[in-house]
Amino acid sequence: MAYSVLGHAQSWQTTVNEGVNKPVYFHAWGGDAQINSYIQWLGEQVKQQYNIDLVHIKLADTSEAVSRVLAEKSAGNHTQGKVDLIWINGANFAAMSKHGLLKTDWATKLPNFYLTNPTKNPAVTHDFGLPTQGMESPLGQASLTFYYDSKTVIHPPKNLKQLLNWSTKNKGRFTYSKPPDFIGVSFLKYALINLTPTEQRSLLYQPATEKSAAQLLPALWQYLDELHPTLWRKGTFFVQNSAALKRLVSDMELSLSLTFSAAEIPAAVERYDLPLATRSYAMHDGSLSNTHFVAIAYNASHSESAKLVANFMLSVQAQAQKQQPANWGDNTVLDLSLLSKEQAALFSQQAPHPSSLATNNQSPALAEPHPSWSTLINQQWQLRYGTYNRGTVSND
């Protein structure tokens, strides 16, 4: 054992020696000022510790990075890729893994990985049900969160059935974003899970087939057929993303909306982008939850430097900083029972904002279905409700 520990320490020291004094091109979604600010803080920390220049390549969609690595592989560029580190999960991970676009067998060897306690927390080694096989290092956990203006909504709906009833009585006060936007597809998956009988839910965690789709999806379309006429603009138009949803709440066109970044709600209230009476909650019939990760491209120019950044992201310091609502508000992937009292105390929230999601909410976590269901839901939604005679509303 002593030899193994010594050997691992020597191996990591080699990574440190090779990784310092270089840039890391971090391809990550850049649509949230709060998250961008956290990534900037990360950059300051790794600059100080390793003299690494963390360059945030802001993406509108992670698929942009996937396409870039795929193009480099097709062109025969196997060692000098422009993508070092990627913020990723779900369908994009499945695609990159399938096409051999990710570096393997590195994440579980990071010195800080043991703090996630993977033997007791399989969510840090599975991405939408797929084994990560050492290709991804966990970064945080998030869940679908609803928010509302408590001055106009006294009793917000607490489950899917109540949502339909509430929207029927409050026509035009709710909508979701148009698939393939992440929030829109997440809402549809939340609905599909709850509309699927418990004895059939295991089908959602296997690759979708023609037979399983025929079994499960009709209930979703029937629900949406009833819900859409009650939505904002009667469900004939859909906004493009969560930022547009937030603007409609700010303009008091909507009274109820949803996000996958719970911390953005109190932050938006503090900026006066949302009403002071805004409150957040999780549906009582379950909250779609997932772990998000970072991965290293198979042809990254600075893979050892990227490992240093990923390991720092798993440090107590970085995870505690990220969990604070003022910084990001993401749930940590660390097992706090492995930390000292002083370290665990860094994750406590002394005075939660009244608009924050309660940390003691009892909503059961709904695991993400197999990535193939997201693709199928989006395709069939477009055919039923998409661009033939309907459209989107711009973000402006």
Side-chain angles (χ1 to χ4, degrees):
M1 176 63 76
Y3 177 82
S4 176
V5 171
L6 177 61
H8 187 73
Q10 291 174 336
S11 175
W12 181 248
Q13 187 57 49
T14 300
T15 296
V16 173
N17 294 341
E18 295 180 1
V20 297
N21 305 322
K22 294 174 184 172
V24 169
Y25 292 90
F26 182 28
H27 291 242
W29 180 63
D32 185 284
Q34 202 168 342
I35 294 175
N36 293 345
S37 178
Y38 176 74
I39 293 175
Q40 184 177 3
W41 176 85
L42 282 175
E44 294 168 357
Q45 303 307 308
V46 296
K47 180 69 175 179
Q48 183 176 355
Q49 292 195 27
Y50 301 115
N51 196 31
I52 285 175
D53 289 317
L54 186 66
V55 183
H56 182 188
I57 307 299
K58 296 177 181 176
L59 305 176
D61 192 300
T62 305
S63 62
E64 297 169 21
V66 179
S67 299
R68 180 158 196 165
V69 179
L70 186 60
E72 289 175 344
K73 186 173 186 179
S74 299
N77 178 2
H78 301 304
T79 58
Q80 299 297 316
K82 299 296 184 184
V83 178
D84 291 320
L85 199 62
I86 315 170
W87 179 19
I88 194 172
N89 72 348
N92 289 311
F93 167 69
M96 295 195 80
S97 175
K98 179 181 178 181
H99 294 287
L101 301 178
L102 295 176
K103 185 171 287 296
T104 60
D105 195 30
W106 63 272
T108 55
K109 296 178 180 177
L110 296 177
N112 286 332
F113 185 76
Y114 85 97
L115 292 173
T116 66
N117 205 354
T119 56
K120 292 186 177 179
N121 183 16
V124 299
T125 53
H126 288 75
D127 188 340
F128 282 47
L130 298 179
T132 58
Q133 298 180 314
M135 290 183 281
E136 293 185 310
S137 175
L139 179 58
Q141 296 177 329
S143 60
L144 194 62
T145 300
F146 284 73
Y147 61 97
Y148 63 100
D149 183 349
S150 62
K151 279 195 171 181
T152 59
V153 180
I154 305 302
H155 301 293
K158 298 295 179 61
N159 58 47
L160 193 64
K161 182 179 180 181
Q162 289 182 15
L163 176 63
L164 177 58
N165 292 335
W166 181 90
S167 191
T168 300
K169 294 175 182 176
N170 300 272
K171 286 185 168 57
R173 307 300 294 175
F174 173 72
T175 191
Y176 59 94
S177 55
K178 181 183 178 182
D181 178 66
F182 180 74
I183 296 300
V185 175
S186 294
F187 172 71
L188 298 178
K189 287 187 286 190
Y190 153 72
L192 177 60
I193 292 171
N194 275 294
L195 292 167
T196 299
T198 304
E199 63 273 18
Q200 293 183 318
R201 284 189 182 179
S202 62
L203 294 174
L204 293 173
Y205 300 95
Q206 304 168 27
T209 65
E210 188 174 337
K211 182 180 179 181
S212 59
Q215 283 181 271
L216 305 187
L217 289 183
L220 176 63
W221 308 137
Q222 182 179 351
Y223 181 85
L224 295 182
D225 286 345
E226 292 184 61
L227 178 68
H228 280 190
T230 74
L231 297 181
W232 178 75
R233 299 202 178 186
K234 299 181 179 179
T236 57
F237 290 90
F238 290 85
V239 298
Q240 293 180 340
N241 51 42
S242 61
L245 288 172
K246 197 162 55 182
R247 276 194 287 274
L248 289 179
V249 176
S250 176
D251 293 341
M252 303 183 74
E253 289 199 54
L254 298 181
S255 298
L256 176 71
S257 192
L258 65 168
T259 178
F260 225 92
S261 178
E264 75 173 3
I265 303 309
V269 171
E270 287 295 302
R271 294 195 303 268
Y272 299 100
D273 289 342
L274 286 173
L276 292 174
T278 302
R279 298 292 181 266
S280 304
Y281 72 102
M283 286 288 191
H284 290 184
D285 54 359
S287 182
L288 189 70
S289 303
N290 66 50
T291 300
H292 50 99
F293 300 83
V294 290
I296 299 175
Y298 87 100
N299 62 342
S301 296
H302 312 101
S303 61
E304 300 308 295
S305 308
K307 292 177 187 175
L308 296 181
V309 175
N311 187 58
F312 178 76
M313 288 173 168
L314 283 177
S315 67
V316 173
Q317 179 188 9
Q319 287 284 308
Q321 178 83 359
K322 186 159 67 65
Q323 184 165 300
Q324 295 303 317
N327 300 324
W328 186 328
D330 226 14
N331 287 332
T332 182
V333 292
L334 303 187
D335 182 343
L336 300 189
S337 69
L338 298 180
L339 308 185
S340 67
K341 287 185 179 179
E342 291 76 14
Q343 290 173 323
L346 297 174
F347 293 84
S348 63
Q349 191 177 347
Q350 298 301 325
H353 192 282
S355 299
S356 298
L357 179 66
T359 55
N360 61 349
N361 79 81
Q362 299 298 312
S363 176
L366 302 176
E368 289 275 2
H370 187 277
S372 57
W373 284 98
S374 296
T375 304
L376 184 63
I377 291 170
N378 175 48
Q379 290 172 343
Q380 295 209 10
W381 190 97
Q382 299 296 339
L383 289 173
R384 295 182 67 90
Y385 309 112
T387 56
Y388 288 111
N389 54 8
R390 292 168 175 149
T392 59
V393 174
S394 72
N395 294 334
D396 300 325

